[in-house]
Amino acid sequence: MIGDKSMQKLRDKPSQTHEPTANTVTKKVLIVEDDPATQFMMAEFMDALGYSYELAEDGDVCLDLLANESHRFALILMDIHMPKFSGIEASARIRDMQEDPPRNLPIYLMSADQNYHSPRAAHDLGLTGALPKPVRMGELDSLLGSYL
């Protein structure tokens, strides 16, 4: 079970940066996820695998980061169901940006909704692929290893 102190740490900042201690990775993974429990799980996986990442709690924070610092990211893991606007809408806004990056950054949709688990569904939305929830560490490592 996730402790209250751990959950509060995740809520303290809308965007959190995490650097691996053993690995030097030049680009980061941008994880866009509003659920604190999923943020915690993804942070644990990323730390265990040694990848550098940044958490954004919603699409607004994601778009702000990409507008100002898109060169820091190798790919985006985007939750589909978020407040304000969905991961689909956030992804569409990224694809509509003038600059590249972020316009052509790989975006993988994360969802427990089986309607979005197929590569075809992701492709139809203009995304690179899908990462089904619950995310499995081996699948995550395999995916990230192909980019980082």
Side-chain angles (χ1 to χ4, degrees), residues 24 28 31 33-34 39 47 51 59-61 67 74 91 95 99-100 104 109 121 125 130 133:
T24 302
K28 295 182 180 189
I31 301 170
E33 174 62 60
D34 65 308
Q39 287 179 354
D47 289 340
Y51 291 110
D60 284 337
V61 174
S91 297
R95 294 295 186 236
E99 299 295 317
D100 185 24
N104 288 318
L109 200 58
L125 294 169
K133 287 182 182 176

Side-chain angles (χ1 to χ4, degrees), residues 8-28:
Q8 186 58 42
K9 283 183 193 177
L10 290 171
R11 287 190 212 110
D12 285 343
K13 296 179 185 176
S15 169
Q16 301 171 38
T17 302
H18 301 272
E19 302 290 340
T21 54
N23 247 347
T24 302
V25 179
T26 57
K27 297 271 187 170
K28 295 182 180 189

Side-chain angles (χ1 to χ4, degrees), residues 55-106:
L55 291 169
E57 69 182 17
D58 60 38
D60 284 337
V61 174
C62 168
L63 294 174
D64 286 344
L65 283 169
L66 292 174
N68 298 308
E69 304 177 62
S70 62
H71 63 280
R72 296 183 327 153
F73 301 104
L75 76 147
I76 302 165
L77 300 177
M78 179 80 70
D79 181 24
I80 193 166
H81 299 294
M82 293 186 293
K84 297 183 184 177
F85 52 88
S86 72
I88 294 170
E89 185 176 344
S91 297
R93 290 183 185 192
I94 292 167
R95 294 295 186 236
D96 287 342
M97 289 180 165
Q98 297 284 38
E99 299 295 317
D100 185 24
R103 185 180 64 239
N104 288 318
L105 280 173

